[in-house]
Amino acid sequence: MSLIVQKFGGTSVGTTEKIKAVAEKVAGFRDQGHDMVVVVSAMSGETNRLISLASDVQEKPDPREMDVLVSTGEQVTIALLCMALKAKGYDARSYTGGQVKILTDSAHMKARIQNIDVDNMRADLDAGRVVVVAGFQGVDEAGNITTLGRGGSDTTGVALAAALKADECQIYTDVDGVYTTDPRVVDSARRLDKITFEEMLEMASQGSKVLQIRSVEFAGKYKVPLRVLSSFVDGPGTLITLDEENETMEQPVVSGIAFNRDEAKISILGVPDAPGVASKVLSPIGDANIEIDVIVQNVAADNTNAITFTVHKNDLEKAKSVLAGVAEDLGAREVVGDDKIAKISIVGVGMRSHAGVASKMFKTLANENINIQMITTSEIKITVIIEEKYLELAVRALHSAFELDK
Amino acid sequence: MSLIVQKFGGTSVGTTEKIKAVAEKVAGFRDQGHDMVVVVSAMSGETNRLISLASDVQEKPDPREMDVLVSTGEQVTIALLCMALKAKGYDARSYTGGQVKILTDSAHMKARIQNIDVDNMRADLDAGRVVVVAGFQGVDEAGNITTLGRGGSDTTGVALAAALKADECQIYTDVDGVYTTDPRVVDSARRLDKITFEEMLEMASQGSKVLQIRSVEFAGKYKVPLRVLSSFVDGPGTLITLDEENETMEQPVVSGIAFNRDEAKISILGVPDAPGVASKVLSPIGDANIEIDVIVQNVAADNTNAITFTVHKNDLEKAKSVLAGVAEDLGAREVVGDDKIAKISIVGVGMRSHAGVASKMFKTLANENINIQMITTSEIKITVIIEEKYLELAVRALHSAFELDK
């Protein structure tokens, strides 16, 4: 008998029929003798409906009141799921974030969990009840309703699992696991049985949007075994675990390929090669609230520097105009932007100890006549920027070269 | 400068446009320097939508979870109203029933208010904020969400006004006040400037459904001046006040005419004239959960008793079958039912001290050839049961006879 925390997202609870199906699934685990805590999101569409009501009323809705408003979405779902469980003869009790209570800071719409009171939940579990908790929401010290930001229900699930020392946290989504790459791009993309937290972080931040990145960090930090499964198709899903060195040795070197076409590249060329230049270039970008992803700096033949970084495509023009002023101050030659780029990363804990992974990646791209514009590497990832139109070709070639379809 | 509690019902906040109009109205009072506490219901249709979701999931929805579910309706409205006020530049803060906190007993779906904590609201009012509170909901000692039952937002408004010792509690509805009788039946029905709590109770319980009867009782008990106004038409509405004896003397004897066509009459005839008979007849009806309204007992010429009472039309057949058994036990002659009846009451605090009101009522009906089937009287009301088809004729004749259109 284990304690399992399950989290069902908006599409999994999108209708009363689907909520009944979730109840059925939970009941199945309960029948096996497991203690069950279930975290749910708002019914799909509901959060958007509420946000649209708010924007009818106030151009930039007040954050405190926005949290009061949108937190009703999950509150509806917890009540309906408890009713569905009771209709099947299973005792259940619902909790809002405030009732649990999930204590957060006071940063409305992006609050962070500080503490979770497990006493009520423990008492319910001991009494044989299924505990149903509203995801995405909490309460601050003063009793104000807070939300963790969109998609934060995953984080709620992991945080509850950590607080309750659950045996497993199962995140149900509309995909049946984490894949070697996006199956819409590569037909032979394969579901992974296991992936490490670190690999998952790299996969998620690179665009394989299966889980909220924050929830993965959280799970890694608190060592909560996390499993991604499909709400609609039965199967083992993908288990996200700690990297156990001896297991890794037997694993493939590269676990997956992540990619992203939402970024643009911006370069400032002919910058003097002097201390403090990178900071002078990048600080104004940060001050303008533009998020930077990849950064590369290199020395050119004329002993000047070139600094290139990527931003979201939507921020390209803003970043260029910020840099225009900076370039003048620094006496830099020019600022150039390009939004026809794509980012591809190969990810794998195994590559730490294997030489030749990078060269295999570059050679594979060269064989397809794909020019590499930027390269960055980390312990478990190699990222390249290429021309956008070659994205699919590159991903397929790499997927095959690293034998991810095997 | 006064402290005013305003309550807006579901139709008054049915769309975001209407919520903005409510904000406008509240802002107008704020501009006059009043401290404002606003109680709102769920947007019209929302509660029914939620109830229908629940009945999709569980045949007889669990009361605790039902309260978790339906309380989201008002929570949406408080957030939107605060946003609308902030959009106009007025500071405002929303509170759910649990946040205020409005402490109730644990009777889900029909909870009763036990205590209201006014500290948070006072602090907000002192800081110049409009306080917006979710109607209809509270929280029990254990932190469970409760609701006061449908329409309970009026009660929330009155209870807050009592707790805050407000100068006035204004209930906004879709009518512009309390009328001498239903304007749909009598063209010349007239809005009353004032009515006493007791008269209002009789009017409300007799079918003039302007205010929830419970909220009127509450307002009377705590001496909260209550005003009924229209959300959509400007005007003074009707003030519901304590009966000050000297004022009453100048008031018309009869304030209004209430009526009801939802009842059926049931008689048990030829009952032995002996102690305990009424109880033997009526107890089984109560045991069958049938609500009884008017009861009349009289002795017939043959020294047997006739007991007649009214029940809701829907309960007539059930009541008859219960009574069939009782009649046999008692040796009564027969049980007869009639659902083609109507109930009419004239209501007025003034009639206490005026003879002749009853005889004027009976004479007016006689002049129209309307037969009176039953009569009951109380301190401030005379009620008759007549054949249903004469209802409109009777109401118009009485309205004119008591000069209510003047």
Side-chain angles (χ1 to χ4, degrees):
Chain A
M1 198 183 93
S2 308
L3 170 53
I4 299 176
V5 175
Q6 297 187 323
K7 181 260 169 177
F8 294 90
T11 51
S12 306
V13 294
T15 63
T16 49
E17 284 314 307
K18 286 183 176 176
I19 288 172
K20 287 188 225 175
V22 166
E24 186 72 45
K25 199 179 274 288
V26 173
F29 280 85
R30 189 82 194 93
D31 288 344
Q32 290 167 37
H34 300 302
D35 283 339
M36 301 301 297
V37 174
V38 186
V39 176
V40 287
S41 302
M43 295 168 79
S44 52
E46 181 64 7
T47 304
N48 285 334
R49 182 182 78 87
L50 294 168
I51 289 172
S52 132
L53 285 173
S55 52
D56 271 6
V57 171
Q58 191 179 16
E59 205 178 343
K60 199 175 170 313
D62 182 74
R64 180 190 184 276
E65 300 304 333
M66 198 66 178
D67 282 351
V68 172
L69 181 70
V70 298
S71 62
T72 62
E74 290 76 29
Q75 191 172 327
V76 166
T77 318
I78 56 173
L80 293 175
L81 179 57
C82 280
M83 290 177 190
L85 283 163
K86 292 202 163 209
K88 286 180 186 299
Y90 294 81
D91 199 6
R93 184 168 288 175
S94 73
Y95 289 93
T96 63
Q99 286 177 317
V100 166
K101 66 187 204 180
I102 298 176
L103 185 71
T104 71
D105 58 25
S106 298
H108 286 291
M109 299 172 73
K110 51 181 186 218
R112 291 198 161 254
I113 298 175
Q114 293 180 332
N115 188 45
I116 294 181
D117 189 342
V118 297
D119 293 350
N120 284 335
M121 291 187 288
R122 282 265 178 237
D124 283 327
L125 293 173
D126 289 348
R129 290 191 192 101
V130 176
V131 172
V132 179
V133 179
F136 169 72
Q137 56 183 251
V139 66
D140 73 4
E141 202 68 73
N144 296 300
I145 297 169
T146 55
T147 67
L148 311 179
R150 279 199 105 167
S153 290
D154 285 1
T155 306
T156 304
V158 173
L160 285 175
L164 288 161
K165 302 191 189 353
D167 296 284
E168 191 165 294
C169 179
Q170 302 181 341
I171 309 278
Y172 288 82
T173 69
D174 49 3
V175 298
D176 66 346
V178 180
Y179 274 68
T180 50
T181 195
D182 188 338
R184 284 168 300 187
V185 171
V186 181
D187 286 342
S188 58
R190 202 172 38 79
R191 185 183 55 73
L192 295 159
D193 286 327
K194 273 193 176 182
I195 187 171
T196 68
F197 286 112
E198 291 157 299
E199 288 172 330
M200 187 63 200
L201 281 180
E202 296 292 359
M203 293 294 281
S205 66
Q206 299 290 321
S208 300
K209 303 266 165 54
V210 178
L211 288 180
Q212 251 218 316
I213 189 163
R214 204 167 132 197
S215 64
V216 179
E217 286 173 358
F218 216 83
K221 185 170 169 191
Y222 290 97
K223 301 188 173 37
V224 175
L226 200 61
R227 189 181 291 276
V228 177
L229 308 96
S230 163
S231 303
F232 310 113
V233 185
D234 284 334
T238 299
L239 184 65
I240 305 164
T241 55
L242 290 172
D243 173 26
E244 308 290 353
E245 196 64 45
N246 47 354
E247 279 193 53
T248 306
M249 295 303 287
E250 297 163 30
Q251 279 185 353
V253 175
V254 172
S255 295
I257 300 173
F259 57 86
N260 182 340
R261 19 184 152 214
D262 297 334
E263 294 183 19
K265 181 179 79 165
I266 184 161
S267 301
I268 178 162
L269 307 174
V271 184
D273 184 15
V277 164
S279 155
K280 279 181 190 151
V281 168
L282 297 171
S283 297
I285 300 287
D287 294 345
N289 272 321
I290 299 170
E291 278 189 32
I292 298 171
D293 184 24
V294 176
I295 305 170
V296 170
Q297 173 177 335
N298 216 343
V299 179
D302 59 359
N303 271 333
T304 63
N305 263 328
I307 298 177
T308 303
F309 55 90
T310 64
V311 297
H312 194 278
K313 274 181 180 163
N314 297 341
D315 289 329
L316 176 60
E317 288 312 311
K318 193 171 164 196
K320 275 172 76 177
S321 71
V322 169
L323 274 199
V326 175
E328 206 166 339
D329 293 348
L330 289 176
R333 200 167 63 237
E334 67 177 318
V335 173
V336 290
D338 180 1
D339 65 354
K340 295 278 181 295
I341 60 155
K343 186 172 71 170
I344 302 180
S345 303
I346 57 173
V347 176
V349 170
M351 71 173 68
R352 278 181 201 166
S353 48
H354 281 73
V357 172
S359 68
K360 188 175 193 175
M361 181 185 196
F362 305 152
K363 195 165 146 195
T364 304
L365 296 175
N367 285 345
E368 303 292 342
N369 270 321
I370 300 171
N371 187 41
I372 300 174
Q373 302 180 3
M374 293 168 73
I375 299 174
T376 59
T377 61
S378 78
E379 284 284 288
I380 64 162
K381 161 182 88 161
I382 304 170
T383 299
V384 297
I385 302 290
I386 60 169
E387 199 177 341
E388 188 179 11
K389 68 178 176 184
Y390 295 121
L391 175 69
E392 286 84 356
L393 175 62
V395 172
R396 283 179 202 131
L398 290 168
H399 198 265
S400 162
F402 285 102
E403 299 183 332
L404 292 173
D405 38 7
K406 297 288 162 59
Chain B
M1 198 183 93
S2 308
L3 170 54
I4 300 177
V5 175
Q6 297 187 323
K7 181 261 168 177
F8 294 90
T11 51
S12 306
V13 294
T15 63
T16 50
E17 284 313 308
K18 286 183 176 176
I19 288 172
K20 287 188 227 177
V22 167
E24 187 72 45
K25 199 179 274 289
V26 172
F29 280 84
R30 191 80 196 93
D31 288 344
Q32 291 167 37
H34 299 301
D35 282 339
M36 301 300 298
V37 175
V38 186
V39 176
V40 287
S41 301
M43 295 169 79
S44 53
E46 182 62 9
T47 304
N48 286 336
R49 182 183 78 87
L50 293 168
I51 290 172
S52 130
L53 285 174
S55 53
D56 269 7
V57 171
Q58 192 178 16
E59 205 178 345
K60 199 173 170 314
D62 180 74
R64 180 190 185 278
E65 300 303 334
M66 198 66 178
D67 282 351
V68 172
L69 182 70
V70 298
S71 62
T72 61
E74 291 76 28
Q75 190 172 327
V76 166
T77 318
I78 56 172
L80 293 175
L81 180 56
C82 280
M83 289 178 192
L85 283 163
K86 293 202 163 210
K88 287 182 185 298
Y90 294 82
D91 199 5
R93 185 169 286 175
S94 73
Y95 289 93
T96 63
Q99 285 177 316
V100 167
K101 64 184 205 185
I102 297 176
L103 185 71
T104 71
D105 59 24
S106 299
H108 285 292
M109 299 172 71
K110 51 178 188 220
R112 295 202 157 249
I113 297 175
Q114 293 180 333
N115 187 46
I116 294 182
D117 188 343
V118 296
D119 294 349
N120 284 334
M121 292 187 289
R122 282 266 178 237
D124 283 327
L125 293 173
D126 290 347
R129 290 192 192 99
V130 176
V131 173
V132 179
V133 180
F136 168 72
Q137 57 185 249
V139 66
D140 74 3
E141 202 68 73
N144 296 301
I145 296 170
T146 56
T147 66
L148 311 178
R150 277 199 106 165
S153 290
D154 286 359
T155 306
T156 305
V158 173
L160 284 176
L164 289 162
K165 301 190 190 355
D167 296 285
E168 191 166 294
C169 179
Q170 302 180 342
I171 309 278
Y172 288 82
T173 68
D174 49 1
V175 297
D176 65 346
V178 180
Y179 275 69
T180 50
T181 194
D182 188 337
R184 284 169 300 187
V185 170
V186 181
D187 286 341
S188 58
R190 200 172 41 78
R191 185 183 55 76
L192 295 160
D193 285 328
K194 273 192 177 185
I195 187 171
T196 68
F197 285 113
E198 290 156 299
E199 288 172 330
M200 187 63 200
L201 281 180
E202 294 292 0
M203 293 293 281
S205 68
Q206 298 291 319
S208 299
K209 302 263 165 58
V210 178
L211 288 180
Q212 250 218 316
I213 189 161
R214 204 169 133 197
S215 64
V216 179
E217 287 173 356
F218 214 84
K221 186 171 167 190
Y222 290 98
K223 300 187 174 35
V224 175
L226 199 60
R227 190 181 289 277
V228 178
L229 309 96
S230 164
S231 303
F232 310 113
V233 184
D234 284 336
T238 298
L239 184 66
I240 305 163
T241 56
L242 289 172
D243 174 26
E244 309 289 351
E245 197 64 46
N246 47 354
E247 281 195 53
T248 307
M249 294 303 289
E250 298 163 31
Q251 280 187 349
V253 175
V254 172
S255 296
I257 300 173
F259 57 85
N260 182 339
R261 19 184 152 214
D262 296 335
E263 294 183 18
K265 180 179 80 162
I266 184 160
S267 301
I268 178 162
L269 307 174
V271 184
D273 183 16
V277 164
S279 155
K280 278 181 191 148
V281 169
L282 297 173
S283 297
I285 299 289
D287 293 344
N289 272 321
I290 299 170
E291 278 189 31
I292 298 171
D293 181 26
V294 177
I295 305 169
V296 171
Q297 174 177 334
N298 216 344
V299 180
D302 59 357
N303 270 334
T304 63
N305 262 327
I307 297 177
T308 303
F309 54 91
T310 64
V311 296
H312 194 280
K313 273 180 180 164
N314 297 342
D315 289 330
L316 176 60
E317 286 313 312
K318 193 172 164 195
K320 275 171 75 175
S321 73
V322 170
L323 275 199
V326 176
E328 204 165 338
D329 293 350
L330 288 174
R333 200 166 61 238
E334 66 178 320
V335 173
V336 290
D338 180 2
D339 65 356
K340 294 279 182 291
I341 61 156
K343 186 172 72 170
I344 302 180
S345 303
I346 57 172
V347 176
V349 170
M351 72 174 64
R352 277 181 199 164
S353 48
H354 282 72
V357 173
S359 68
K360 187 177 196 176
M361 182 185 195
F362 304 153
K363 197 164 148 197
T364 304
L365 296 176
N367 285 346
E368 304 292 341
N369 271 322
I370 299 170
N371 188 41
I372 299 174
Q373 302 181 7
M374 292 169 75
I375 300 174
T376 58
T377 61
S378 78
E379 285 283 288
I380 64 162
K381 161 182 87 160
I382 303 170
T383 299
V384 298
I385 302 290
I386 61 169
E387 199 175 343
E388 187 178 11
K389 68 178 177 185
Y390 295 121
L391 174 69
E392 285 85 356
L393 175 62
V395 172
R396 284 178 202 132
L398 291 168
H399 197 264
S400 163
F402 287 101
E403 300 184 332
L404 292 173
D405 38 8
K406 298 285 160 61

